[in-house]
Amino acid sequence: MAVDVNGVELQSGDSIVVIKDLKLKGSKNSVKQGTKAKIRLTKNDNEVECKLDKLGTVILKTEFIRKA
């Protein structure tokens, strides 16, 4: 069961908001605080997958997102 930073359960298709600026490994780009996206759950409960404009598919840790 994946949960966000506030302990709210996440489901595939939920909208989330990034709560902190995140640097991406292997890239000069970063994900800015306040970025909104729809998620897809992964096999790992503390990670979710989402598609971001100009960055493509990114895997984010649930400790850096909250449900919108």
Side-chain angles (χ1 to χ4, degrees):
M1 177 177 80
V3 294
D4 69 0
V5 70
N6 296 323
V8 178
E9 187 176 345
L10 298 170
Q11 302 291 327
S12 287
D14 284 346
S15 294
I16 56 99
V17 177
V18 178
I19 62 168
K20 179 181 174 182
D21 287 352
L22 302 173
K23 293 181 181 177
L24 299 177
K25 288 185 179 181
S27 175
K28 295 179 183 178
N29 297 325
S30 63
V31 180
K32 300 293 183 187
Q33 179 180 354
T35 302
K36 295 180 182 180
K38 291 205 183 267
I39 62 166
R40 188 173 349 155
L41 297 180
T42 62
K43 292 180 182 179
N44 191 343
D45 281 344
N46 64 348
E47 294 178 346
V48 294
E49 185 178 299
C50 61
K51 286 187 181 177
L52 299 175
D53 293 339
K54 299 180 183 178
L55 297 177
T57 302
V58 178
I59 295 177
L60 300 174
K61 293 196 177 243
T62 56
E63 63 194 70
F64 300 117
I65 61 173
R66 68 175 169 82
K67 193 170 180 178

